[in-house]
Amino acid sequence: MDHLTPVVLLAMNTGMRRGELLSLEWADIDLGAKIITVQARKAKSGKQRHIPQNAEALGVVTKWRQQSEGVGQVFKPQDVKKGWDALLTTAKITGFRFQDLRHHFASKLVMAGVDLNTVRELLGHSDITMTLRYAHLGPEHLAAAVEKLAA
């Protein structure tokens, strides 16, 4: 059973920190409401937050629940850590951290037109300054922005 794909896809579609994902319990996931709750005691900010699941995240969680026990912890931290390191080694990828999946999440949202305050809330940042560090815009997005002046 592939233990890495579900956690990576969930990270890319929720922006959750690795620690939040690895401490996630099935009780924190409401499939009906399509919400993942990050408990205050497990959040870096110390504050509880609710993260909506998009279609891909919901599909990943639903399928993973069918393949796993569906009780207790969602992911086994030791499997994810070993798998992540092995994946990067096998693919000969250097300088890429799990944290970069959070940056990807924030950047994709901003490039899709989501306002920074909403991205800040989804990431669980208390200050917009930190969110700005995550929300990198691609060159094509910047070019499209200035092209709007000519339209």
Side-chain angles (χ1 to χ4, degrees), residues 6-16 21 98 101-102 105:
V7 75
V8 169
L9 289 174
L10 205 53
M12 290 175 64
N13 285 280
T14 64
M16 292 173 68
L21 283 163
F98 195 90
L101 299 173
R102 248 170 93 76
F105 171 80

Side-chain angles (χ1 to χ4, degrees), residues 17-85:
R17 295 174 178 92
R18 180 170 61 176
E20 294 169 344
L21 283 163
L22 297 184
S23 64
L24 190 63
E25 296 182 16
W26 284 111
D28 299 326
I29 300 174
D30 185 335
L31 293 173
K34 302 178 187 176
I35 297 286
I36 295 175
T37 299
V38 177
Q39 301 296 336
R41 69 185 183 281
K42 298 174 184 175
K44 185 176 178 182
S45 67
K47 295 180 182 176
Q48 183 182 71
R49 74 182 192 280
H50 303 284
I51 303 170
Q53 295 178 70
N54 64 15
E56 185 170 20
L58 185 61
V60 165
V61 170
T62 301
K63 186 176 179 183
W64 185 244
R65 187 175 196 136
Q66 293 167 351
Q67 295 178 20
S68 65
E69 296 173 23
V71 294
Q73 277 192 286
V74 177
F75 303 109
K76 295 177 183 172
Q78 65 275 13
D79 291 343
V80 172
K81 289 175 185 173
K82 287 181 197 172
W84 180 255
D85 291 340

